[in-house]
Amino acid sequence: MAVVSSSGFSHADMLDEVPALRAFARRFHQNGPDAEDLVQDTLMRALANSDKFRAGTKLRSWMFTIMRNRFCTKFASSKREMVGIDDDASGRMVTQPTQEWSLRGHELEQAISKLPRNQSDALVMVLIDALSYEDAATQLGCAIGTIKSRVNRARHQLAISMGHAD
């Protein structure tokens, strides 16, 4: 017996879309395991958000949108995390002293603790926990635009507090 979500599609309907999702994922990732991870992430998101599916919408289009959004979110996160070191240079890296980073880390913690609670919560969720704006908005129970504003204000205030404001 097929399990049907409250939105009108079944898990079997979702599974029927897996070949198309795999093909679409290959447009984003040439690496097979990365493409499979994206498909799995898309399926998990679709299941978790099945209540947001609107009757009359094509399931494939809805799932493709989820996949594209997940890829864009992860791509943006990975760009922030990547240091840009090519494989050749990794063997020639020199370890820099950690004292300055430790000091700057403490300064950053203090500056974040001085932010209004709503700004610091949004900033931590988006930048440190690497949640999407949508996920942070859901957790904090507010609009995505509100999260974006809070993060922007928090970044600006941190730049001023740490002496990096233009």
Side-chain angles (χ1 to χ4, degrees):
M1 179 174 182
V3 177
V4 178
S5 74
S6 60
S7 56
F9 65 85
S10 70
H11 293 166
D13 293 335
M14 286 180 61
L15 292 177
D16 289 344
E17 298 301 332
V18 169
L21 289 170
R22 284 187 175 130
F24 191 53
R26 287 283 185 182
R27 292 181 177 207
F28 298 114
H29 293 291
Q30 300 304 313
N31 182 351
D34 289 341
E36 276 302 311
D37 287 346
L38 184 58
V39 170
Q40 292 298 319
D41 192 25
T42 301
L43 290 170
M44 287 179 11
R45 289 283 175 159
L47 283 171
N49 293 295
S50 62
D51 59 316
K52 296 178 183 172
F53 181 79
R54 294 190 180 137
T57 304
K58 290 186 178 185
L59 180 60
R60 180 177 292 184
S61 299
W62 183 69
M63 292 176 73
F64 278 10
T65 300
I66 291 171
M67 181 178 283
R68 180 183 48 83
N69 290 344
R70 290 305 302 155
F71 174 78
C72 291
T73 299
K74 285 185 176 184
F75 182 75
S77 296
S78 69
K79 282 181 69 175
R80 290 191 303 258
E81 294 169 4
M82 298 290 282
V83 228
I85 298 175
D86 56 340
D87 292 336
D88 300 359
S90 63
R92 299 180 299 215
M93 288 181 52
V94 176
T95 304
Q96 298 296 322
T98 60
Q99 297 90 343
E100 183 178 346
W101 283 108
S102 179
L103 180 61
R104 295 298 286 176
H106 290 297
E107 289 174 1
L108 181 59
E109 285 177 18
Q110 288 176 345
I112 290 173
S113 72
K114 292 177 184 174
L115 291 172
R117 177 71 184 234
N118 62 0
Q119 289 179 13
S120 64
D121 287 348
L123 183 79
V124 168
M125 286 181 168
V126 172
L127 297 182
I128 297 173
D129 296 339
L131 293 179
S132 67
Y133 286 114
E134 182 180 73
D135 291 341
T138 300
Q139 284 192 15
L140 293 174
C142 61
I144 293 173
T146 303
I147 292 296
K148 289 180 179 182
S149 295
R150 289 177 182 175
V151 170
N152 187 40
R153 285 189 207 111
R155 284 179 174 162
H156 181 70
Q157 190 58 44
L158 287 177
I160 290 170
S161 296
M162 299 192 68
H164 295 290
D166 291 332

